[in-house]
């Protein structure tokens, strides 16, 4: 399972998230996406922890918490939707 962490301050680092979530258990991975064109952080990230109980505790405690001047949105990450080659393409018939 992965945790979505939204409304992050743009100055947040992977180490910052590692430290905060580390209070609730062992953190396996932290990912902070960046904009392809600007390289700027996008204001959200993902955290993976050792087990579901640790992740559930972190979600329950940190969702809505104030951190670095922002109110965090923390919840279970949804699987990424796959995009098909037809998405956004309109087909017209005669």
């Amino acid at each position: 399972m992965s945790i979505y962490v939204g409304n992050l301050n743009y100055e947040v680092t992977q180490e910052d998230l590692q430290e905060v979530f580390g209070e609730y258990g062992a953190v396996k991975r932290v990912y902070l996406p960046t904009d392809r064109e600007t390289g700027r952080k996008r204001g959200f990230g993902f955290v993976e922890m050792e087990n579901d109980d640790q992740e559930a505790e972190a979600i329950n405690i940190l969702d809505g918490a104030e951190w670095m001047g922002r109110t965090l949105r923390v919840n279970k990450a949804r699987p990424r939707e796959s995009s098909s080659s037809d998405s956004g393409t309109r087909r017209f018939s005669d």
Side-chain angles (χ1 to χ4, degrees):
M1 180 169 91
S2 186
I3 300 171
Y4 167 83
V5 186
N7 200 34
L8 289 172
N9 183 306
Y10 292 107
E11 302 301 316
V12 168
T13 65
Q14 289 182 339
E15 292 78 17
D16 292 333
L17 282 177
Q18 177 97 26
E19 184 177 325
V20 168
F21 281 83
E23 294 180 26
Y24 305 98
V27 176
K28 288 175 30 178
R29 182 172 172 243
V30 174
Y31 175 61
L32 289 171
T34 55
D35 183 273
R36 284 184 226 188
E37 294 178 18
T38 64
R40 182 178 173 196
K41 292 177 189 148
R42 297 178 65 194
F44 66 92
F46 299 92
V47 177
E48 290 180 31
M49 298 183 75
E50 282 292 319
N51 66 55
D52 291 346
D53 291 338
Q54 294 171 353
E55 289 183 350
E57 182 181 8
I59 290 169
N60 288 335
I61 293 172
L62 295 174
D63 186 40
E66 176 96 12
W67 186 52
M68 294 183 78
R70 301 276 188 123
T71 302
L72 297 179
R73 286 188 51 222
V74 183
N75 52 52
K76 190 185 293 190
R78 292 183 296 224
R80 188 175 204 176
E81 293 182 14
S82 62
S83 59
S84 69
S85 59
D86 292 337
S87 66
T89 304
R90 294 190 121 162
R91 293 185 179 175
F92 299 96
S93 58
D94 295 301

